[in-house]
Amino acid sequence: MENGDIPENANEHCPGPQSESAGKSDACEGCPNQQICATAPKGPDPDLVAIAERMATVKHKILVLSGKGGVGKSTFSAQLAFALAAKDFQVGLLDVDICGPSIPKMLGLEGQEIHQSNLGWSPVYVESNLGVMSIGFMLPNPDEAVIWRGPRKNGLIKQFLKDVYWGELDFLIVDAPPGTSDEHISIVQCLDATGVDGAIIVTTPQQVSLIDVRKEVNFCKKVGVKVLGVVENMSGLCQPITDFKFMKFTDNGEQKDVTQWVLECMREKAPEMLNLLACSEVFDSSGGGAVKMCNDMGISFLGKVPLDPQLCKAAEEGTSCFANKDCVVSAPALKKIIEQLIETNGWSVLVSNGV
């Protein structure tokens, strides 16, 4: 247990050998290291000093969180990184979702590997000003399952923060796993001395997601992380009417594709309809959605991003939706949210200074 590292055979919620509660808390019961931790001398973790030195060249650190999985958190993280890089910021994207690392796919970096230099681990670069680090680059194949207990996950997060050489960064975006688990505590504790600008929380409109988002907000309050705002993702299906497929039930109950017939009718009888967007609610938002939750909890609501098949396609292809002329619905919504973040948090100073 050199340098205060958590041993691999520790219990899942190990407080760490340098903690005052090491060997004494309920989480330590039955751990083979309990007696050692209880009697070992305590002191500051030298790794935290190394992390502080490494993070000294990073101006802003942003956590992207979600209460549940599958709400589009990583998609938002990826597009936020693309958008900031397109504004000529120096951007790093750190994927700490150890068991579900989807960032390499969403940045078009599948199959890439991490390289080491005398300065540390080198990020994998999408562009010269957009670097990425993920456990996904370390797996022997993309189907490999990561079956790790909490202490080993936390050790890798610490190593990412301590050993990755980002150079000068304007923004480090941290894509965290869903929920409020050991990984979240680790990332907050490791970055505490260097300061975290805050967290963006991604949700969908329905109550089953918002219930867990409330827990995420309370987690941020307890650990002293500012909530920069909440993004309501998948806020209704919205796309050009010409992108829809139109179906008709036949007499025997089967579905028949009548798309061409419908489009031809529009062209002949109402051509102006071809320029319309068609929108539909996907999730039940009768409870007020994220807007009401933000009002109730006194936090900022950043905006809504519709469920856009073109955004899904961009994520699958690992490309920026802002460079895709077909993302006519999601790209403007995301752009508005990101510009609001830049303006309200004073990051526009970096733009005006030509950083």
Side-chain angles (χ1 to χ4, degrees):
M1 292 188 291
E2 295 180 2
N3 296 333
D5 288 340
I6 296 176
E8 290 189 10
N9 63 344
N11 288 353
E12 185 171 0
H13 298 288
C14 172
Q18 293 298 329
S19 169
E20 291 297 326
S21 61
K24 305 172 186 176
S25 74
D26 293 341
C28 301
E29 290 297 326
C31 177
N33 308 293
Q34 185 175 9
Q35 184 61 33
I36 298 173
C37 290
T39 57
K42 305 296 187 292
D45 185 348
D47 283 343
L48 296 182
V49 177
I51 290 171
E53 291 175 352
R54 187 69 86 179
M55 290 292 111
T57 59
V58 180
K59 294 185 179 74
H60 300 286
K61 305 168 200 72
I62 304 168
L63 308 182
V64 181
L65 311 175
S66 68
K68 280 193 176 300
V71 300
K73 167 186 56 62
S74 294
T75 299
F76 181 83
S77 295
Q79 297 304 322
L80 174 61
F82 276 128
L84 292 174
K87 291 180 177 292
D88 292 328
F89 289 119
Q90 296 294 323
V91 182
L93 177 53
L94 175 59
D95 181 6
V96 296
D97 192 344
I98 306 299
C99 293
S102 52
I103 287 299
K105 171 75 172 176
M106 293 185 175
L107 274 293
L109 298 173
E110 283 185 299
Q112 299 294 319
E113 296 179 353
I114 298 171
H115 298 284
Q116 285 187 296
S117 70
N118 59 339
L119 297 173
W121 290 357
S122 298
V124 179
Y125 284 90
V126 182
E127 303 285 351
S128 60
N129 65 331
L130 175 52
V132 180
M133 180 56 66
S134 170
I135 191 177
F137 300 135
M138 304 168 69
L139 300 178
N141 69 73
D143 297 329
E144 188 77 18
V146 180
I147 308 172
W148 290 359
R149 291 184 181 275
R152 194 172 178 190
K153 293 180 188 177
N154 298 340
L156 181 62
I157 290 172
K158 184 184 285 187
Q159 193 167 9
F160 276 160
L161 294 172
K162 177 170 63 78
D163 293 343
V164 176
Y165 177 69
W166 297 99
E168 296 282 342
L169 284 185
D170 295 308
F171 294 97
L172 178 64
I173 301 164
V174 180
D175 184 49
T180 53
S181 56
D182 285 356
E183 294 97 315
H184 301 78
I185 297 171
S186 289
I187 196 78
V188 170
Q189 288 178 340
C190 288
L191 292 178
D192 182 57
T194 66
V196 176
D197 286 65
I200 300 168
I201 302 176
V202 181
T203 184
T204 48
Q206 78 275 37
Q207 286 298 316
V208 72
S209 177
L210 295 172
I211 287 170
D212 288 335
V213 171
R214 290 185 177 89
K215 297 171 185 174
E216 200 81 36
V217 172
N218 286 325
F219 165 81
C220 289
K221 290 179 178 178
K222 287 180 179 179
V223 298
V225 173
K226 178 183 177 182
V227 177
L228 299 175
V230 173
V231 174
E232 185 178 277
N233 196 27
M234 307 183 196
S235 186
L237 173 65
C238 191
Q239 62 181 9
I241 198 168
T242 52
D243 288 348
F244 276 91
K245 179 183 286 189
F246 296 89
M247 309 297 290
K248 176 184 177 181
F249 278 110
T250 61
D251 292 339
N252 60 5
E254 296 181 353
Q255 292 185 10
K256 179 183 177 182
D257 189 340
V258 294
T259 304
Q260 289 304 315
W261 175 75
V262 171
L263 294 177
E264 287 173 8
C265 287
M266 288 185 189
R267 290 190 189 98
E268 292 176 8
K269 299 179 181 180
E272 64 277 9
M273 290 184 64
L274 296 172
N275 297 320
L276 295 178
L277 297 175
C279 302
S280 175
E281 292 296 326
V282 177
F283 300 110
D284 178 22
S285 57
S286 58
V291 176
K292 184 178 185 301
M293 184 207 68
C294 288
N295 289 334
D296 292 344
M297 301 192 77
I299 55 178
S300 297
F301 177 71
L302 296 174
K304 300 181 180 183
V305 180
L307 182 58
D308 179 1
Q310 293 297 330
L311 176 59
C312 300
K313 183 180 179 183
E316 287 289 314
E317 295 176 349
T319 60
S320 168
C321 73
F322 305 102
N324 184 348
K325 62 180 179 59
D326 293 325
C327 288
V328 296
V329 176
S330 54
L334 285 165
K335 182 180 179 182
K336 184 178 179 181
I337 289 170
I338 293 166
E339 288 181 346
Q340 179 184 341
L341 277 168
I342 291 173
E343 186 63 33
T344 56
N345 291 284
W347 301 334
S348 56
V349 175
L350 299 178
V351 178
S352 62
N353 288 340
V355 176

